[in-house]
């Protein structure tokens, strides 16, 4: 049910990722007179939910690895194409073994969830991703509670037709039906739960049927065996017994743990169901002073004689009340009233929905019980900021880098000594868009020894611009010339130079060899690109990425790099000058040397350099 899965799968040195791979020629095309052998055959060990796949219809399903002698077709490509577009979740597919042949072909053993089809299917030349006849598939999409209306989220439900029917509506399931292989029902008979009131805490849709499932639980029995998934259409809402009047809001008072303290309805003459209780001006929520005073007085009256108190509504509480609509409820958190000194205020750090994170008592010398805190000095703001930051250390919440914001300062300023105030703090913002810098290195072969590897630098030019020495002029002086110079010069301007480079004397011969070697050596240390580095591979800062994740990214974007064109001079004979030909090399990704890492860290990848290839058409000179 995870939409995005990034887990390592260790199969010898191979890694299974989840990106679409480069297509390769199916090993079935090999001559029938020779057969491949199995080099490895391993059980997949990643979480089962990460092995859900679907057929592409590009390859058939076989009784054994397709290139082995005696392999027979279990299902044709046409049959698998039909399963791929099926609207029945029983056509979902689970991969559970992987085999690599002596020819490097990768096959997975798979089975449909209903067990109708089982066999081996070709997946390309790499275990780094599903390819060929398979693709990664999400059998279920978790929508989040926002997919339901507020009434649906807050409602109680009963199973409409309790019993034993296995139809998605009568019993509950450990996972939505047929979305995980061999994961079945939570209970097989719901008759004993016919009068149980359930709540919903998860919701999503099955990918193939596009039907909505919800996860239900019994709030009065957290260990109920009936907890599980069921079709939303199999539930009926329990009618609300104590309906909120259309012209009132219901204020539920709870403590920091969520325990109910008290509740009351606050009506207003002329209030209409669905209308907003407060007002919003330029993004600031507020209450009419009469309503604010009356609500505060009512809460204080209800808390009188209890372990809780409320000296005044905080800005956060005012905002909560103001946003409430007539005919609905709002939950206000109240705090314990004990152990607050007369010259202190208890500052409760809460989430935006009123849950308590931490508390501390802040003291102002000379303050008297019941007096309003009012304006804070710069020193007091600094002191409070330091204490809050210390309390939030190693938590998932924090203050802004600039310290207390205006809203937080106002929440504290409206408090009274001897009482408590709530200050809302927000979750720590983590950079979600950090690149892991990738440094490409060039190696001469796919040998495991990379001590002679050299870094590749990007350029965004067609010709290398590195200066090369030892070009002899007609006056016998030595000057520098680059590949770009050579390409941009007129032929008449370099004729004398080329003639001298082909003289029979040793200096001329060495110069010709030197210029050719230097041009080549300079060019093969670079690759053509408009980027300053191979980047764009991004994720949450510090999060781990697998070999498969990085391999898939490189295959899709930087599988092959190309050097700039470089010139090579060929002598036409003594005193006749030389011709200029242009060459380039390519660098092919060596997947065996792609490693896992963490986003934000540098990572090195290796490319195998090809032999020089001549440019098919020599570039024209100016």
């Amino acid at each position: 049910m995870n939409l995005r899965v990034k887990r390592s799968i260790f199969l010898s040195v191979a890694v299974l990722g989840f990106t679409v791979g480069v297509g390769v020629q199916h090993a079935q095309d090999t001559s029938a007179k020779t057969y491949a052998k199995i080099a490895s055959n391993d059980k997949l060990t990643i979480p089962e939910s990460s092995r859900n796949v679907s057929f592409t219809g590009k390859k058939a399903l076989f009784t054994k690895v397709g290139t082995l002698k005696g392999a027979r077709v279990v299902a044709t490509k046409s049959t698998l194409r039909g399963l791929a577009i099926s609207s029945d979740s029983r056509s979902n597919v689970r991969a559970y073994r992987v085999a690599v042949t002596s020819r490097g072909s990768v096959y997975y053993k798979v089975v449909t969830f209903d067990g109708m089809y089982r066999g081996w299917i070709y997946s390309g030349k790499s275990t780094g991703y599903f390819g060929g006849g398979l693709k990664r598939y999400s059998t279920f999409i978790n929508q989040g509670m926002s997919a339901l209306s507020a009434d649906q989220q807050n409602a109680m439900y009963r199973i409409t037709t309790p019993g034993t029917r296995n139809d998605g509506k009568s019993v509950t399931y450990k996972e939505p039906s047929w979305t995980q292989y061999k994961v079945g029902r939570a209970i097989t008979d719901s008759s004993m739960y016919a009068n149980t009131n359930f709540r919903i805490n998860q919701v999503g849709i099955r990918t193939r049927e596009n039907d909505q499932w919800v996860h239900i639980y019994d709030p009065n029995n957290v260990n109920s065996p009936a907890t599980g998934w069921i079709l939303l259409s199999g539930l009926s809402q329990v009618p609300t017994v104590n309906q909120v009047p259309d012209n009132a809001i219901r204020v539920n008072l709870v403590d920091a743990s969520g325990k109910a303290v008290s509740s009351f309805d606050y009506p207003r003459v002329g209030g209409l169901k669905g209308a907003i209780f407060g007002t919003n001006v330029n993004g600031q929520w507020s209450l009419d002073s009469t309503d604010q005073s009356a609500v505060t007085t009512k809460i204080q009256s209800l808390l009188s004689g209890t372990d809780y108190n409320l000296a005044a509504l905080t800005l956060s509480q005012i905002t909560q009340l103001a946003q409430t609509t007539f005919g609905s409820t709002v939950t206000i958190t109240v705090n314990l009233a004990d152990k607050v000194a007369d010259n202190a205020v208890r500052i409760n750090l809460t989430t935006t929905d009123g849950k308590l994170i931490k508390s501390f008592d802040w003291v102002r010398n000379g303050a008297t019980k019941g007096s309003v805190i009012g304006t804070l000095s710069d020193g007091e703001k600094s002191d409070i900021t330091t204490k809050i930051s210390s309390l939030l250390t190693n938590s998932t919440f924090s203050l802004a880098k600039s310290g207390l914001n205006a809203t937080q300062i106002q929440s504290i300023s409206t408090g009274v000594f001897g009482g408590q105030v709530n200050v809302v703090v927000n979750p720590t913002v983590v950079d979600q868009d950090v690149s892991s810098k990738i440094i490409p290195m060039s190696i001469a072969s796919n040998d495991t020894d990379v001590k002679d590897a050299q870094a590749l630098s990007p350029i965004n030019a067609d010709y290398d611009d590195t200066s090369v020495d030892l070009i002899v002029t007609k006056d016998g002086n030595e000057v520098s010339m680059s590949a770009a110079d050579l390409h941009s010069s007129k032929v008449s301007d370099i004729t004398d130079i080329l003639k001298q480079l082909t003289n029979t004397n040793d200096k001329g011969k060495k110069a010709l060899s030197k210029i050719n070697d230097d041009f080549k050596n300079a060019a093969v240390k670079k690759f053509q690109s408009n980027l300053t580095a191979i980047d764009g591979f991004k994720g949450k800062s510090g999060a781990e990425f697998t070999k498969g994740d990085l391999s898939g990214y490189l295959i899709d974007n930087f599988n092959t790099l190309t050097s700039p064109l470089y010139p090579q001079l060929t002598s036409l004979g003594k005193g006749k000058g030389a011709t200029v030909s242009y060459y380039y090399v390519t660098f092919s990704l060596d997947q065996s040397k792609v490693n896992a890492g963490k986003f934000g860290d540098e990572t090195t990848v290796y490319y195998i350099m090809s032999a020089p290839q001549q440019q098919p058409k020599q570039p024209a000179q100016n």
Side-chain angles (χ1 to χ4, degrees), residues 91-263:
S91 298
N92 289 328
V93 186
R94 172 66 55 82
Y96 61 97
R97 294 195 72 85
V98 60
V100 181
T101 72
S102 56
R103 295 172 183 157
S105 296
V106 176
Y107 284 79
Y108 286 98
K109 192 168 189 182
V110 301
V111 60
T112 54
F113 279 21
D114 61 3
M116 291 293 292
Y117 296 94
R118 184 187 299 270
W120 291 86
I121 190 166
Y122 176 74
S123 182
K125 289 286 188 178
S126 172
T127 56
Y129 51 89
F130 288 121
L134 297 176
K135 61 182 178 181
R136 178 180 169 239
Y137 191 75
S138 295
T139 62
F140 184 78
I141 300 173
N142 200 319
Q143 297 176 293
M145 290 296 288
S146 60
L148 301 178
S149 67
D151 287 342
Q152 287 176 312
Q153 294 178 41
N154 296 322
M156 302 291 287
Y157 296 86
R158 288 184 182 177
I159 298 174
T160 304
T161 57
T164 60
R165 288 184 298 279
N166 185 12
D167 58 0
K169 298 181 178 181
S170 295
V171 296
T172 53
Y173 299 75
K174 297 177 183 177
E175 298 288 349
S177 184
W178 298 104
T179 60
Q180 295 299 336
Y181 185 58
K182 287 190 175 180
V183 177
R185 289 167 283 184
I187 55 174
T188 56
D189 188 349
S190 63
S191 299
M192 66 183 69
Y193 303 100
N195 296 317
T196 300
N197 292 337
F198 295 96
R199 285 195 181 276
I200 295 173
N201 60 359
Q202 294 182 65
V203 59
I205 58 173
R206 288 193 299 182
T207 307
R208 294 189 184 275
E209 290 84 352
N210 196 35
D211 51 7
Q212 194 167 45
W213 287 68
V214 292
H215 187 268
I216 61 174
Y217 70 99
D218 180 358
N220 296 316
N221 180 8
V222 295
N223 298 315
S224 173
T227 297
W229 291 88
I230 191 171
L231 280 165
L232 179 60
S233 59
L235 299 177
S236 299
Q237 283 194 24
V238 178
T240 302
V241 176
N242 188 13
Q243 191 81 20
V244 180
D246 290 349
N247 69 334
I249 63 169
R250 176 164 296 162
V251 181
N252 294 321
L253 305 178
V254 300
D255 66 12
S257 68
K259 177 184 175 182
V261 175
S262 188
S263 179

Side-chain angles (χ1 to χ4, degrees), residues 443 445-447 588-594 605-608:
I443 53 179
S445 70
N446 59 356
D447 195 342
S588 301
L589 178 66
D590 186 352
Q591 292 189 51
S592 66
K593 295 181 178 62
V594 175
V605 295
Y606 294 90
Y607 286 83
I608 303 169

Side-chain angles (χ1 to χ4, degrees), residues 1 6 8 12 23 30 101 117 135 194 215 235 243 249-250 272 289 394 405 427 467 552 597:
M1 285 171 28
K6 292 186 177 180
S8 300
S12 182
T30 306
T101 72
Y117 296 94
K135 61 182 178 181
H215 187 268
L235 299 177
Q243 191 81 20
I249 63 169
R250 176 164 296 162
L272 298 175
S289 58
N394 297 324
N405 60 37
S467 295

Side-chain angles (χ1 to χ4, degrees), residues 307-309 335-348 359-363 369 417-420:
D307 293 333
Y308 306 91
N309 72 355
N335 301 302
L336 290 171
D338 59 331
K339 299 181 181 178
V340 180
D342 290 351
N343 66 340
V345 61
R346 179 160 298 159
I347 299 177
N348 302 307
S359 292
F360 69 99
D361 288 357
W362 179 73
V363 175
K369 184 177 178 65
F417 288 101
Q420 306 181 46

